Amino acid sequence: MDGVELCLETFGDRVDPALLLISGMAASMDWWDVGFCERLAGEGRFVVRYDHRDTGRSVASPVGKPSYSSDDLATDPLRILDALGIRRAHVAGISMGGGIAQHLAARHRDRLFTITLIATSPAGARADQKGLPPIERRLAATFENPTPAPVWNDRAAVVDYLVDGERPFAGSLGFDEDRVRRLANIVVDRTRDIAASMTNHWVLEGGSAARFRLADIEVPTMVLHGTADPLFPFGHGEALAAEIPNASLVPLDGMGHEMPPPQLWDVVVPAIVAQTSGDSRRS
């Protein structure tokens, strides 16, 4: 893919409308639960998930020395679509992946049918100059006093580290440790270099791409946002829906800054299916 090794997985029938899932920072495709992908595929979507650079089985750089820029991460979805021969797709992105989706909608709108923004924040310029709600204090404290990194070749310690890292992002629905631990085990076993995976996205330099205005996004947009998100409180989702023309907002009661948990799939899956319906057969 443009000389870059990126790992992807697909679910469903290739003749169905393509739905590309974009993970958050330092997150491999594994956080998009297989069951979730299969639910979407069962509703007639050709679902694609992939590993960002330095996650999962995609290309890995030396720890602390990523060989790519944030601009490269932002355009990797186009490389994935090109590799699959897909001209246009629906895109759903979470957190950083939601920022990437906004960038694609503003700069490469001809490649997208729709975007779904999950647990993310405005990546483009807003007309409203009022500040957005700050990170919750309980979560800010974990950034100010981070847990020391584990010994990276101690598998059990790394799994514990990943699980503990997810815990403070949970909302009022609670933290499903068994599910997160299951996914963390998969992540550790699939990742080429877990130390690089947990480090390199955080040290990337800012992108060179010019800023865009949210008001200029013309791609049909849906915002899915947890009402208990401690990183990007609900006002961030409201701001996206207010600034992007004709965007819809679906509150997810009790969800934190996390992948939609299974107890919300009966809300999230139909919402995404409705958003991605229409004349969008693979092209």
Side-chain angles (χ1 to χ4, degrees):
M1 299 178 191
D2 195 24
V4 178
E5 186 176 357
L6 300 173
C7 183
L8 64 87
E9 184 177 18
T10 66
F11 302 80
D13 194 327
R14 291 179 64 91
V15 303
D16 287 333
L19 171 59
L20 178 64
L21 306 177
I22 308 177
S23 302
M25 181 177 289
S28 68
M29 71 166 92
D30 305 295
W31 295 104
W32 296 103
D33 198 294
V34 168
F36 181 74
C37 296
E38 290 176 340
R39 283 273 301 265
L40 289 166
E43 294 290 340
R45 299 295 177 269
F46 180 57
V47 179
V48 184
R49 63 177 190 168
Y50 74 99
D51 293 323
H52 290 299
R53 305 183 196 213
D54 272 320
T55 75
R57 304 307 299 169
S58 286
V59 62
S61 298
V63 177
K65 297 180 180 180
S67 60
Y68 54 90
S69 68
S70 57
D71 287 342
D72 292 322
L73 288 185
T75 52
D76 278 343
L78 303 180
R79 296 179 177 89
I80 294 290
L81 296 180
D82 287 345
L84 292 170
I86 297 172
R87 188 177 65 84
R88 295 181 73 187
H90 302 279
V91 168
I94 185 167
S95 196
M96 181 189 79
I100 290 174
Q102 293 170 61
H103 166 82
L104 293 173
R107 299 299 182 206
H108 303 278
R109 65 190 66 179
D110 60 313
R111 302 298 304 273
L112 277 62
F113 288 117
T114 69
I115 58 173
T116 297
L117 307 177
I118 307 171
T120 193
S121 186
R126 299 163 51 223
D128 188 343
Q129 297 301 305
K130 290 185 294 186
L132 295 172
I135 181 175
E136 288 187 11
R137 184 60 199 162
R138 66 178 177 85
L139 182 58
T142 68
F143 287 104
E144 294 164 2
N145 297 288
T147 302
V151 176
W152 293 111
N153 60 5
D154 183 339
R155 184 183 180 283
V158 173
V159 169
D160 287 342
Y161 179 76
L162 293 182
V163 172
D164 290 342
E166 292 295 316
R167 196 183 309 275
F169 290 90
S172 57
L173 289 175
F175 181 67
D176 186 347
E177 180 162 346
D178 289 343
R179 176 173 175 267
V180 173
R181 186 169 294 276
R182 172 178 62 81
L183 295 174
N185 273 280
I186 296 171
V187 168
V188 171
D189 288 342
R190 284 192 64 253
T191 301
R192 289 185 173 187
D193 186 336
I194 194 65
S197 184
M198 299 302 296
T199 302
N200 286 353
H201 284 189
W202 296 97
V203 300
L204 285 175
E205 296 184 359
S208 60
R211 287 273 284 176
F212 59 89
R213 299 189 314 155
L214 292 177
D216 292 335
I217 292 179
E218 298 177 353
V219 175
T221 301
M222 177 173 66
V223 179
L224 300 176
H225 210 97
T227 60
D229 189 324
L231 181 64
F232 298 136
F234 191 68
H236 291 245
E238 291 178 313
L240 282 166
E243 295 276 349
I244 297 174
N246 302 312
S248 62
L249 173 62
V250 179
L252 299 177
D253 290 341
M255 192 178 91
H257 192 76
E258 57 191 320
M259 287 289 187
Q263 57 263 55
L264 290 176
W265 289 359
D266 286 344
V267 175
V268 172
V269 171
I272 293 177
V273 170
Q275 170 71 359
T276 58
S277 294
D279 186 16
S280 58
R281 285 282 165 182
R282 185 169 176 264
S283 60

